[in-house]
Amino acid sequence: MSAEIIDGKEFAAGLRARVAAHVARLKADHGITPGLAVVLVGEDPASQVYVRSKGKMTVEAGMKSAEHRLSPETSQEDLLNLINELNADPTIHGILVQLPLPAHLDEDLVINAIDPAKDVDGFHILNVGLLGTGQKSMVPCTPLGCLMLLRERLGSLAGLDAVVIGRSNIVGKPMAQLLLGDSCTVTICHSKTKDLPQVVGRADIVVAAVGRPQMVTGDWIKPGATVIDVGINRIDDNGKSRLVGDVDFASAAEVAGAITPVPGGVGPMTIACLLANTLTACTRANNLPEPDNLTP
Ligand code: GUN
């Protein structure tokens, strides 16, 4: 194996510590405690794990955590009423509605009901537009975490060829916008892309976010490239359940210059960035200077 392992777990711990230090100062100097509300509709097991973990880390960072667990039959009206209450609550600075929602709920309508200033996921159409036009916005947590890891590893990204595999609103599209904002030459690939291995083979930066276990193999990767694996897939490995990414780690690590592992790569960065976004939303809401040492 030749690649350097990008330790997202360690970087995320550092980021959470910087957030916690800011939160402590906000409390001491201004008597303000940032508050994050997480809304979970239904009983999806993976979502329950994420929401529990988000709540725990929010409290560990010194912030207020408000969890709202709603039944899978919750009506659209009840959910919108809750969002309106949270929008109006001055102790809540960030609102996250865990996705996916049950099929009877209109995801776009629900997300766009969140006050854009409290939209710590950065999914509201206003924040999407602000990001796309290079203006100050809330930036989606997973792509923001990927960008931080890339800047940490590579310094300036200007002029590099970046290939994003996956075009989701949560990761692929905002990731492409962020890389473009850092002056990469960006290609977005998806299920209809012709000759995906050949396109990936041109990339200095590969971000894989497709949700297909171990799809990207080492023979696709340009020697020395930086590989960011967003996938979290549970597979059966000889009767044992195991988490793997969208990248075949063993073969990719033979060729890449650096690679994120799964678990312990991008995953921990998502929650750390959620806390950072909540802190940012709180400082903006109170017209205080934004923390400037959170991102590399
Ligand atoms: N489901 C999977 N990833 C995410 C995320 O980043 N935010 C929300 N709200 N739901 C998700």
Side-chain angles (χ1 to χ4, degrees), residues 4 10 28 41 95 125 128 136 138 161 170 175 201 205 211 243:
E4 178 198 324
E10 185 186 315
V41 186
I95 302 170
I125 191 73
V128 176
K136 196 161 94 171
M138 277 290 154
D161 281 313
I170 294 181
M175 186 75 247
I205 293 170
L243 285 184

Side-chain angles (χ1 to χ4, degrees), residues 118-229:
K118 297 189 178 188
D119 169 36
V120 282
D121 257 330
F123 296 162
H124 188 288
I125 191 73
L126 182 77
N127 283 316
V128 176
L130 290 171
L131 179 64
T133 50
Q135 301 179 70
K136 196 161 94 171
S137 66
M138 277 290 154
V139 179
C141 304
T142 300
L144 179 59
C146 295
L147 184 74
M148 286 187 195
L149 294 178
L150 284 167
R151 285 180 177 167
E152 169 78 2
R153 153 88 191 158
L154 296 168
S156 168
L157 309 184
L160 296 179
D161 281 313
V163 168
V164 179
I165 316 173
R167 55 174 154 178
S168 71
N169 291 339
I170 294 181
V171 183
K173 286 179 199 159
M175 186 75 247
Q177 294 289 7
L178 288 174
L179 291 165
L180 197 55
D182 269 29
S183 301
C184 292
T185 303
V186 183
T187 305
I188 307 175
C189 298
H190 46 76
S191 55
K192 301 285 188 292
T193 297
K194 282 184 272 179
D195 202 353
L196 183 58
Q198 185 258 330
V199 179
V200 171
R202 293 200 303 258
D204 304 304
I205 293 170
V206 180
V207 180
V210 268
R212 282 172 170 244
Q214 299 167 307
M215 185 184 83
V216 179
T217 47
D219 53 330
W220 295 19
I221 309 278
K222 178 161 103 175
T226 302
V227 177
I228 304 290
D229 190 352

Side-chain angles (χ1 to χ4, degrees), residues 208-216 229-233 244-248:
V210 268
R212 282 172 170 244
Q214 299 167 307
M215 185 184 83
V216 179
D229 190 352
V230 181
I232 302 177
N233 311 288
V244 297
D246 293 345
V247 177
D248 177 46

Side-chain angles (χ1 to χ4, degrees), residues 2-73:
S2 63
E4 178 198 324
I5 308 298
I6 301 174
D7 190 342
K9 201 171 158 190
E10 185 186 315
F11 190 89
L15 176 56
R16 282 188 277 112
R18 293 196 292 282
V19 169
H22 271 281
V23 170
R25 235 171 295 141
L26 262 186
K27 275 189 200 171
D29 296 349
H30 303 280
I32 297 167
T33 302
L36 172 66
V38 175
V39 181
L40 173 63
V41 186
E43 283 146 14
D44 178 68
S47 292
Q48 285 179 330
V49 173
Y50 290 135
V51 166
R52 205 174 309 129
S53 174
K54 282 168 187 169
K56 182 169 167 273
M57 296 212 176
T58 303
V59 172
E60 279 174 12
M63 302 188 190
K64 168 181 160 170
S65 166
E67 269 179 47
H68 296 266
R69 291 167 181 269
L70 308 182
S71 99
E73 286 89 35

